[in-house]
Amino acid sequence: RMTATVQNPFQHLVEALDPSDQTRQFFNLSKLGDPRYDHLPFSIRILLESAVRNCDEFLVKRSDVESIMNWKQTQTQTVEVPFRPARVILQDFTGVPAVVDFAAMRDAVTKLGADPEKINPVCPADLVIDHSIQFVFGPQSYSSHLTFITCRSDAVFLSNTHLKCYRLAVVPDCATSLQKNQDLEFDRNKERFQFLKWGSKAFKNMRIIPPGSGIVHQVNLEYLARVVFDHDGFFYPDSLVGTDSHTTMINGLGVLGWGVGGIEAEAVMLGQPISMVLPEVVGYKLSGTPDKFITSTDIVLTVTKHLRQVGVVGKFVEFFGPGVAQLSIADRATIANMCPEYGATAAFFPVDDVSVQYLEQTGREPEKLTYITKYLKAVGMFRDYNNVSQDPDFTQVVELDLSSVVPCCSGPKRPQDRIAVSSMKSDFETCLGAKVGFKGFQVAPDLHTATVPFQFNGQQYSLSHGSVVIAAITSCTNTSNPSVMLGAGLLAKKAIECGLSVKPYIKTSLSPGSGVVTYYLKESGVMDYLSQLGFEVVGYGCMTCIGNSGPLPEPVVEAITQGDLVAAGVLSGNRNFEGRVHPNTRANYLASPPLVIAYAIAGTMRIDFENEPIATNAEGRQIFLRDIWPTREEIQAVERTFVIPSMFKEVYEKIEKVNERWNSLVAPSDKLYTWDPQSTYIKSPPFFDGLTMELQPPKSINDAYVLLNLGDSVTTDHISPAGNIARNSSAARYLTSRGLTPRDYNSYGSRRGNDAVMARGTFANIRLFNKFLNKQAPQTLHLPTGETLDVFDAAERYQQSGVPLLVLAGKEYGSGSSRDWAAKGPFLLGIKAVIAESYERIHRSNLVGMGVIPLEYLPGQTADSLGLTGRERYTIPIPEQLTPRMVVDVKLDTGKTFQVRMRFDTDVELTYFHNGGILNYMIRQMSEN
């Protein structure tokens, strides 16, 4: 405990504590001479502080503290430790099912005769409604060169009053259409938002940030982050877990956090620690100075490829070295945001003077800055990146000279596949003819120059392979960063001044991470130029990057289909997996916001910007990209002038009150939710049906069929329902049976609170490659009959016969965004286990949380090496006495037997499995107490 006026905060802090106080023990470790502490990575020091503060010899034991303190020895010994983060953050796509689960848990606790109000978040939880925005209509031709837009879902809340708060000019013609669409969409989504508002009233310790406020990660960075918690004068580091992979963005501000599954997050909200294997920490040393034309996006894409090559899956990455001091917090946050793309658990930048300056810039109160600085210095968690004596010991050190970074993009199907802009044209043409894969489309050589003419708004155009049809400045990755956003604005200004434009059929959009972005783009004078190029603000939220790009103009779709063209999307996001951005863009590239605009102007990815003009203006003058590209010095000058604290204060002081539509919603105040059996949005899930207090011994898996036989890098996008609901899908047939028409289907994201829809959308991705069919399709083979069926329909038939199911997969199963429905959906399909070569960390944890067994081939073995076709029937005896990572037999009906490892990595995970899942465990715990 300390006050802002204390001269020697550490001295008073220690003296104020009871000698037996665990926090005093931590400060004794951190400041009074234990040499082990001074050599710990800063990220590990946060784990240590949490363990000491929460040590109760039950959930957190003294031996856990010692394990973390002895990290240098224990990091390679697969030592399990608990971690209790200070808070939880959710976005709406994962937040809705979390609130649904909490409501259902209250019902289950009531049935067991206990008090339902025991089900409340113990750990503070913030839910930001941001992922539901969908961009529907692209730019149209107006004499004023202004853009016509309408938005879906959350954008219905962006009333003119709300828009004016952020000084966003609404074009009168557009405003009328926008208002009509808002009214329609408000009614369609009203129930879902009423349910969330009920949750904000019914549950204590849960705050909901209304729609239209911004992307969860940027709101977290600019507004929600505490850096240091002040609990009645008691201080401890801010830390968190979130239900989105890119929760790691907050590490750029020195707040340790990472993404977990929604199921795991719910357990943390209920007071359970995360059980984790003590991670190795890779030290990433930055040195040198980036070239004046380099953006933070170029740096992060370079880091992403580098760390993928190094191999950091399941590890922490901690940045150090003099190069870090040159990076703004927004730059650091961009690098930390892409952490899931290079596979690490967290990518940590310890707090330094630049961090405190950012807190000041974003409008935090002076007294907070004082105690944050004093506290972190007192406990040895404040960093000077130029002081090598502070460099801790790391498991491994890798280095990057920032002066070696060149302008780049990533694609066409994975974020780690970086390409220098100078090589983009040749790389795309190589991909065009290469074998189908992450870098290939296998287009016949004689079709590489194919061109398809079409008409749009009365004008003649043509598309070819590599034509850009989507150009989106979107996602948390870059829209939080003033340098690249202002860079895009300055490039737009120069482009307009040179007489350049974007073809009107290209679907352009700008979805900022918060209202602050619109504020400084407007104040700096660049917003009008962005608008003239078609990059009008279409809403505040995660949009094109998660597949909410909406439909393309019909003539464009027809041309792409007619020519079987590899059309392209270019976006400033962090994910470009196949089928994610849009079903008609087979090639998708991640790029900085200025490059998004550049490729939109060029209209194609098949351009060499160094040697070819980006366009020719009306006067016949060839304009090159170098003619309009702003330097870092130009950008920084504008940023210093226009990105100021008053902007952040004005926006965030109103954030929870300004949305009039949200404020006007009427929600019930009952502690138990009254489920509407007619609802197609909110439904009580069957996860707790028949739950009793008694545990049942684990059941062996007998004569299971394989539902799907999959390959490498199957992402949660392939597994979890996402995007629009196709009219020929199982989910569509279900909704039609409930009286809905296709226009009312909405998206899977909007229906994440309805398990009947979500189960039918599991494995419904059109890009799912199933070895049974040897093609991409959301279908599988029903082995008993040989019929090809939608995956849900096949699973339903198996379940009707009482047959258990398995999935076979290759490497990196479940990579990509953390999606709880990627585990809930398979559970509802009757899948009892997955056998894979390796797993993405969050998805494996989610499978455990739902009671689905993650099994892993032994080293050197694969489905192919074992001769598995997937047509066999599998029996897996599960012994009653289980131990972490134990090996079990798999017996086939062919007589063959092989062994796999059960990926229950900790005793706690085994406890969850024995209970049938983590939420079942929590219900029993809450009902006993």
Side-chain angles (χ1 to χ4, degrees), residues 514-547:
S514 78
V516 176
V517 180
T518 301
Y519 203 146
Y520 64 66
L521 291 177
K522 186 77 177 175
E523 293 297 304
S524 62
V526 299
M527 188 70 247
D528 288 344
Y529 298 101
L530 288 164
S531 299
Q532 289 179 60
L533 288 178
F535 291 90
E536 183 69 76
V537 173
V538 296
Y540 301 94
C542 194
M543 202 173 300
T544 303
C545 190
I546 59 165

Side-chain angles (χ1 to χ4, degrees), residues 882-902:
L882 299 176
T883 57
R885 300 179 68 89
M886 74 181 298
V887 173
V888 295
D889 293 330
V890 179
K891 301 175 182 179
L892 308 181
D893 62 345
T894 62
K896 184 181 180 66
T897 299
F898 63 97
Q899 291 187 314
V900 293
R901 187 175 303 281
M902 300 182 78

Side-chain angles (χ1 to χ4, degrees), residues 320 329 354 377 464 467 544 592 752 781 825 873:
F320 74 109
I329 294 303
V354 176
K377 287 184 176 179
S464 57
S467 289
T544 303
S592 66
R752 288 186 79 154
L781 198 63
R873 299 193 72 172

